Amino acid sequence: KNEVEQSPQNLTAQEGEFITINCSYSVGISALHWLQQHPGGGIVSLFMLSSGKKKHGRLIATINIQEKHSSLHITASHPRDSAVYICAVKFDRGSQGNLIFGKGTKLSVKP
Amino acid sequence: EADIYQTPRYLVIGTGKKITLECSQTMGHDKMYWYQQDPGMELHLIHYSYGVNSTEKGDLSSESTVSRIRTEHFPLTLESARPSHTSQYLCASSEFGGSQPQHFGDGTRLSIL
């Protein structure tokens, strides 16, 4: 079954802390996306990756294909990073090539 | 800056009404999607389209229908709204082929009384 699991479900951090959000998936994928959803509901695509590591500003995303695991790191966290972070994958087989989404990690960064 | 637009942002309406949620994109993307998201839950795909005159049902069964008469426009319709339809509906688009990033609208929060 094509499944995506995220941890933790909720995360509270102090401003400046290093944050890690994890994503595991069940079977082979062709791509993994990290998305950010703000309280208003809109979603922004942060990264799309199929191997290795990508960096954009204070955000870093890594993926280990063999272990079927990806992490999203936020360095020097700031209250404006507070949002829900969503992992979504495109599985090699099934799901008609559409994305399957995790439940999200709700991050709250306190000043 | 958003190139995909959803209207309305919020809608509170009575049971039995016909509702159309609008979604438009200006990027010329072939593929478009509708997702349903309940509070605190994951997104579920309810409809998608590969291009004009193409519509497909997603993973989650939905009583809504969609149409794709123009590339840029992908409206979602509920013929007779019920309280069980209360949810957030998100529209997205992407280029066709391979693994392309999806661009999301701001969503419509629908509440059926």
Side-chain angles (χ1 to χ4, degrees):
Chain A
K1 188 180 174 185
N2 293 351
E3 290 181 333
V4 180
E5 297 286 338
Q6 281 188 242
S7 63
Q9 217 172 335
N10 294 283
L11 181 56
T12 300
Q14 286 298 128
E15 184 173 357
E17 285 185 3
F18 180 83
I19 287 161
T20 296
I21 298 170
N22 298 297
C23 176
S24 297
Y25 49 91
S26 52
V27 293
I29 65 168
S30 56
L32 183 143
H33 300 247
W34 281 104
L35 309 164
Q36 180 191 55
Q37 185 171 30
H38 278 282
I43 293 175
V44 173
S45 180
L46 299 174
F47 295 104
M48 184 180 69
L49 64 167
S50 54
S51 64
K53 178 178 171 179
K54 286 191 177 180
K55 185 176 189 292
H56 186 255
R58 295 179 295 105
L59 301 177
I60 303 165
T62 63
I63 189 168
N64 185 318
I65 297 295
Q66 286 74 30
E67 294 187 5
K68 298 185 177 61
H69 180 269
S70 175
S71 293
L72 176 68
H73 304 286
I74 305 175
T75 61
S77 59
H78 190 274
R80 66 174 174 267
D81 297 327
S82 298
V84 176
Y85 292 84
I86 300 169
C87 173
V89 303
K90 183 178 179 183
F91 287 101
D92 282 339
R93 290 191 178 86
S95 308
Q96 291 83 43
N98 294 308
L99 291 178
I100 302 297
F101 294 79
K103 285 187 167 67
T105 294
K106 186 174 182 180
L107 172 65
S108 178
V109 182
K110 306 291 185 189
Chain B
E1 190 169 326
D3 294 315
I4 180 163
Y5 306 96
Q6 287 187 244
T7 57
R9 284 295 316 276
Y10 304 92
L11 179 61
V12 180
I13 201 165
T15 298
K17 301 290 187 184
K18 180 178 178 179
I19 297 165
T20 296
L21 307 184
E22 302 287 350
C23 176
S24 295
Q25 50 97 5
T26 59
M27 295 170 282
H29 286 168
D30 287 314
K31 208 164 176 187
M32 294 188 76
Y33 315 80
W34 275 105
Y35 294 96
Q36 184 174 341
Q37 184 184 32
D38 292 327
M41 300 300 290
E42 65 269 48
L43 280 78
H44 287 287
L45 182 68
I46 51 174
H47 299 283
Y48 61 102
S49 166
Y50 290 111
V52 171
N53 294 327
S54 153
T55 60
E56 305 286 342
K57 290 191 180 295
D59 308 318
L60 183 68
S61 175
S62 174
E63 292 168 349
S64 59
T65 59
V66 291
S67 62
R68 189 90 183 273
I69 299 170
R70 303 198 315 266
T71 297
E72 62 270 23
H73 195 213
F74 192 39
L76 180 144
T77 298
L78 281 162
E79 289 294 332
S80 180
R82 294 209 300 267
S84 60
H85 298 140
T86 295
S87 190
Q88 173 161 253
Y89 294 84
L90 287 143
C91 180
S93 71
S94 69
E95 292 181 15
F96 188 79
S99 295
Q100 301 291 339
Q102 293 188 16
H103 300 255
F104 286 83
D106 288 332
T108 294
R109 287 192 186 274
L110 178 62
S111 182
I112 309 300
L113 304 177

